[in-house]
Structures are given as structure tokens and as C-alpha cells.
Amino acid sequence: MSQPQAWSVPRDNVHTEPGLIRFVIVAIAVLFLTVFVVLPLVVVFAQAFSKGVGAYFSALSDPEALSAIRLTLLVAAISVGLNLVFGVAAAWAIAKFEFTGKTFLITLIDLPFSVSPVISGLVFVLLFGAQGFWGPWLQAHNIHVLFAVPGIVLATIFVTFPFVARSLIPLMQEQGTQEEEAAISLGASGLQTFFRVTLPNIKWGLLYGVLLCNARAMGEFGAVSVVSGHIRGETNTMPLLVEILYNEYQFVSSFAIASLLAMLALITLVVKTVLERRLDEGQIPRDD
Amino acid sequence: MNGSAARRSTLPGFGLTMGLTLTWLSVIILIPLAGLFLKTFELSLDQFWAIVTSRRTLSALKISFGLSFAAALVNLVMGTIIVWALVRYRFPGRRLFDAIVDIPFALPTAVAGVALTQLFAQKGWLGAPLAELGIKVAFTPIGIFVAMIFIGIPFVVRTVQPVLIDLDVEIEEAAASLGANRWHTVFRVILPSLIPALLTGFALAFARAVGEYGSVIFIAGNLPNVSEIAPLLIVIRLSEFRYADATAIAVVMLVASFLIIFAVNRLQRWAQTRIPAH
């Protein structure tokens, strides 16, 4: 969603505002971001460590916490992996070929971004729930999709669907098809061309997409909450456990889990900044 | 992009990748969404209307759309100020604050939800001083408003920022050399060329806030007709196994968000024809 961009150096020319106005504008911006964005982040860590480091780590080593961490890692691994394959395929078809309806296809890929997380979960309840389209059949065959891991994975794939494709399409469109065509005309196979020519060119963009996809997959709450059933120790991901513990007034435990997710967000942001710089440098396809 | 359509087709893999894309898209996105609309058609128009216009549903929709609109307005104003400060001025910590803008994107919504609640609760760091002033934020509609402001701010900043960066200084200089004072230059020359980006950012923040669930439900209080948002009502109806009710509310919200996306696309096309590429 945020495009990589080069920072222009602010100009200190004569065409600027009086010093007082500049000061007020910066003060408002800094104050607003501090109150609405920085303080909530600080609260997470302050609450997590409010009873000391010992309480923090014992909260994290609770069996329920460990099971939530395991489930979150499993769900993220499956959904990121599948969306990675799909994203690369979609980007190849869309960026390297011309066909009618391309814009429409991109709009469809973007759809999950504009759907409320709750609705993303709801659609799977309507398909697989007891009163859903395939619910009775699944029940008769004793297959559990809803209130089980498959449902959580499906909902997570839905909400993280666009990330990889969206970060690759503009990059691959910009790079054109000349290098791949050269490789093919020199006798390389399709797969060789992809792995030896395309992949090196898009690796930072691919990593960027995977990074954002993973952050969302691990942090998704609304969609997963609808399909999970909140079975303790079984279908609770980390964000769901944060909710349950918070509602039980177990603040240290809740914020301890939340602090792990907050750290994930911070690391994601740092890596994202680094990758954006790489992407800015590597816009032009290599000559060699 | 200088390869002609004919030359492009010399690359292999179109059939395979397109097939994979369409299959995956259908399985994950299209069939589930179609199921939602199919379910709605099981309702008669009267039933649908009765659900959507029931007092509780209407209140929830009003709260979601009304507060989202208000929060997006705040984001529009504050976002503009933040972008201006980040792009035009130098101040200590500018790069850090630029990175901080992305936190609401990156922080899982449930984490944001519990953090905001703790912050604005009666004994919280901000809740306590506000309570002394007689303002109650947590567990009231103001809490919903606050959470929606939090979640929406990056949309305005990240949409407007690249446009302000790319804006030609020469236009400003021309305006100044023609005798416009700074006030005139900013409000008659610079801000008008930001309007498409500002409206896009506003629409994106609005759409996100309407559908937002995780960061809102903790701080909302969730009192029916007072502080119950539409996504929460969907979840409640589902837990009562009133699938039809949940679906009807979802369809109203989906159609609204599609309309917003459509408006954003039109806005962007308008912006492209209005501002010549350089």
C-alpha cells in the first residue's frame, strides 16, 4: 500500500512559512503521532513488564501461550507459502503478458483489502458452518473445517491474498520482458529463465511482499476470530489469546503476548524500510 | 515497457500461471464472496429490508459509518499537517516520526485495541487526566472514534506524501514571483493540487474504519444502539446462529465499501488527467 519512495530533501528556501507557524505545525504533528501512535505502543510494553521480568516470561511460557504461538507460526507458514506461489504466478501472468480484462483481474486480486475482516471470516462460516452450504456434508463425513485449523488457514489466506502479487506486479511491469526473451532465445527453459533471470531481479520485491503478508497473517484478528471457535489450547492464535486473556483481566499475560506481536510489527517496519531502500536502488534491471 | 504484444507472447508459462491465478482466485475469493450473495437471495426483499432497517442494525450502521466519516475528517486535517511537517520541514526525529506513521498499518489490530483501551481507561495514562476534565473515552462512542483515528492516519499520510514530494517547486516560485503571498500560494496553488490525493486518502481511511473490528471492540463498550459497531453486530448474529441477519448486514457493508473503492478509482483517474505527468 505504501509505495517505496525516495526522500526529497526539504528545501530551506525563501518560499516557506514564518518560523512560528513552522514550529506550530511540527508541534501538532509530533504531538498527534505521540499521543495516538507512540503511546499505545509504549503501553503494551509497560503493561507486559508491569509485574517484572519474571512474570513476563512465565506468562509467555504458559502452555496456552506456547500453543497459541505454535498455531500462529503454523498458520502463517501455510498461508504465506501458498500466497507466495499464487502471487508469483499472478504477477508473471499479469506483468509479462498483455490480455484484455487485466485491470479487472487486478481489482479482483485487491478485493480482500476492501472487505471487513469480519466479513472475510463470515464467508467461510456460510460455506462450511453447520447451516452453511457444505456444512451438512462435512459433518456427515466428520471433516472439521470451521472451528479448526483449516478454517483459520482459509480465513488467513483470504485476508493476506493480495500482498505478494501487489508488490511484484509494478516491479515486474517496470522491468519488461527483454531479459527473459533473451534467455529464452538463447535456449533456456521457462523454469531456468524464471530462476536465473527473473528471480534475481525481483528478489527484494518478493521479500517485501512476503514480509507484509507474514505480518498480516500473524496479526490477523477479525477474520480468524469469526472462524476459530476460540477453543482453548487448540484454535487460539496469538491475537485471539490476547483478547481472551484481556477479557479475563489477566493483563500481564495478555500484554506479554501482545508485546511479541508488537515486536513483530516493529521488526517488520525496520526490515520494510531497508527493503524499500534496496528497491529504490534496484529499479533498473541489471545489465549483466 | 517497450515490448509489443506479439513479442510478449514469446515467453512461456502464460497458460499455466493464468490458470493457477484464476483457480486460486476463485477458490479463495470469488466462490466465498458469491456464497455471501447467494445466501442473501434466500431472503425475500421484505425480510432483507426488515433486518437492515431494524433499530439495532440501523444504529450499528449509523455508528460505524458516522464515526468513520468523522474520524476520516480528523485524519484528513491531521494527515495534511503531518505530511507538511514531514516533507517541508526539518526537525529532530523527522525520519523516526516518518517511520512511526506506519505503526497502525503494522500493529495487529487486537494489540492496538487492548493498548488503546488501557491508555484511555479511567485509570489509564490519558484516561485519568481526561476523566478529571469529565471526559470519558473508553467504553463510549468517543472510544470508537479514537480507535478509528488511530487506524486511519497512515492512509492519508502515505497517499498525500508522494504527491507533495513530487510537486514542482517551480509552480510555487512562479506564484511567489507573480506577487502571491505565502498564504495565497499554499491555499490557492499547493493545496488544490493535493485535492485528489487528499480525497483518496480520506476515502481509504473511511473505508478501513467502517470495516474495522479488532482495534475498536475493546474500547467501544459494545452497548447495543449506543456503542455497537456493524462488524460486531455481524459477529453477535453469527454467534446466535442468525446467519441471515449477519449476511444482510455484511452485504450492506460490502456494497458500501465497493462504492468507496469505485470512487477512489475514479478519483485516481481524475487526478491522472488533471496533473500532467512529469
Side-chain angles (χ1 to χ4, degrees), chain A residues 5 7 9 15 17 22 28 36 40 83 86 89-90 92 95 97 99 112 114 116 122 158 173 181 246 272, chain B residues 1 7-8 12 14 17-18 21 24 28-29 78 84 89-90 98 102 115 117-118 150 161 182 211 250 257:
Chain A
Q5 68 216 0
W7 258 110
V9 180
H15 309 294
E17 289 72 45
R22 277 188 301 191
I28 292 174
F36 278 92
N83 275 335
F86 154 76
W92 181 267
F97 299 91
F99 54 92
S114 48
S116 170
L122 167 70
F158 185 102
Q173 273 177 337
E181 279 161 9
Y246 190 84
K272 175 173 160 283
Chain B
M1 282 189 281
R7 282 188 58 207
R8 279 169 180 263
F14 181 71
T17 53
M18 190 53 128
T21 302
W24 194 232
I28 299 293
I29 310 292
M78 296 312 296
W84 198 268
Y89 303 148
R90 283 167 183 278
D98 185 46
D102 275 334
T117 311
Q118 204 71 10
F150 169 85
Q161 196 174 26
R182 188 62 193 164
S257 57

Side-chain angles (χ1 to χ4, degrees), chain A residues 1-2 5-13 15-18 21-22 25-26 28-30 32-44 46-47 82-83 85-86 89-90 92-93 95-99 102 105 107-109 111-112 114-119 122-127 129-134 146 154 157-158 161 173-174 176-178 180-181 184 189-190 215 219 221-222 225-226 239 242-243 246-247 251 254-255 258 261-262 265-266 268-269 272-273 277, chain B residues 1-3 5 7-14 17-18 20-22 24-25 27-33 35-36 38-39 42 74-75 78 81-82 84-91 94-95 97-112 114-120 125-126 146 149-150 153 155 158 161-162 165 167 169 172-173 176-177 182 186 210-214 217-218 231-232 234-235 238 241 243 246-247 250-251 253-254 257-258 261 265 269:
Chain A
M1 217 163 274
S2 52
Q5 68 216 0
W7 258 110
S8 76
V9 180
R11 297 164 301 271
D12 256 331
N13 58 18
H15 309 294
T16 184
E17 289 72 45
I21 292 182
R22 277 188 301 191
I25 288 177
V26 170
I28 292 174
V30 166
F32 180 87
L33 286 175
T34 305
V35 167
F36 278 92
V37 183
V38 178
L39 276 184
L41 195 65
V42 177
V43 163
V44 171
Q47 289 289 329
L82 287 173
N83 275 335
V85 174
F86 154 76
W92 181 267
K96 302 288 182 189
F97 299 91
E98 291 301 332
F99 54 92
K102 189 188 275 198
L105 183 61
T107 310
L108 288 181
I109 291 174
L111 267 185
S114 48
V115 174
S116 170
V118 167
I119 298 177
L122 167 70
V123 293
F124 293 106
V125 176
L126 293 180
L127 289 183
Q131 300 175 33
F133 292 105
W134 300 322
L146 216 57
L154 276 174
I157 292 176
F158 185 102
F161 191 82
Q173 273 177 337
E174 202 166 333
T177 55
Q178 283 173 339
E180 282 85 0
E181 279 161 9
I184 296 285
S189 73
F221 175 71
S225 162
V226 171
V242 168
E243 178 197 24
Y246 190 84
N247 287 339
F251 292 132
S254 171
F255 280 101
L261 290 167
L266 290 177
T268 302
L269 279 185
K272 175 173 160 283
T273 313
R277 216 161 290 162
Chain B
M1 282 189 281
N2 40 19
R7 282 188 58 207
R8 279 169 180 263
S9 62
T10 59
L11 287 183
F14 181 71
T17 53
M18 190 53 128
L20 197 60
T21 302
L22 291 180
W24 194 232
L25 184 73
V27 169
I28 299 293
I29 310 292
L30 300 183
I31 293 174
L33 279 181
L36 181 72
L38 270 181
K39 187 83 187 170
E42 288 176 8
V74 172
N75 283 330
M78 296 312 296
I81 292 175
I82 291 169
W84 198 268
L86 289 177
V87 174
R88 290 301 174 100
Y89 303 148
R90 283 167 183 278
F91 56 93
R94 181 175 59 88
R95 276 166 173 277
F97 277 99
D98 185 46
I100 281 171
V101 170
D102 275 334
I103 286 177
F105 272 160
L107 201 64
T109 55
V111 177
V114 293
L116 286 168
T117 311
Q118 204 71 10
L119 190 61
F120 285 98
W125 294 348
L126 295 176
V146 165
I149 293 174
F150 169 85
I153 194 68
F155 289 94
R158 292 302 181 226
Q161 196 174 26
I165 288 173
L167 205 67
V169 208
E172 277 172 60
E173 280 164 358
S177 71
R182 188 62 193 164
V186 168
V210 167
E212 183 55 29
Y213 178 69
I217 53 158
F218 294 96
L232 178 68
I234 294 178
V235 172
L238 273 181
F241 295 103
Y243 283 17
T247 311
V251 163
M253 292 183 62
L254 260 190
S257 57
F258 289 166
I261 295 303
N265 285 341
R269 212 160 293 167

Side-chain angles (χ1 to χ4, degrees), chain B residues 145-217:
Chain B
F145 180 59
V146 165
M148 285 173 168
I149 293 174
F150 169 85
I151 206 70
I153 194 68
F155 289 94
V156 176
V157 174
R158 292 302 181 226
T159 318
V160 179
Q161 196 174 26
V163 181
L164 185 61
I165 288 173
D166 280 347
L167 205 67
D168 247 331
V169 208
E170 284 167 31
I171 303 172
E172 277 172 60
E173 280 164 358
S177 71
L178 288 171
N181 63 28
R182 188 62 193 164
W183 185 262
H184 267 93
T185 311
V186 168
F187 283 91
R188 295 274 174 81
V189 180
I190 303 177
L191 281 183
S193 48
L194 294 182
I195 283 176
L198 284 168
L199 287 176
T200 305
F202 173 85
L204 291 174
F206 177 58
R208 172 68 197 260
V210 167
E212 183 55 29
Y213 178 69
S215 54
V216 175
I217 53 158

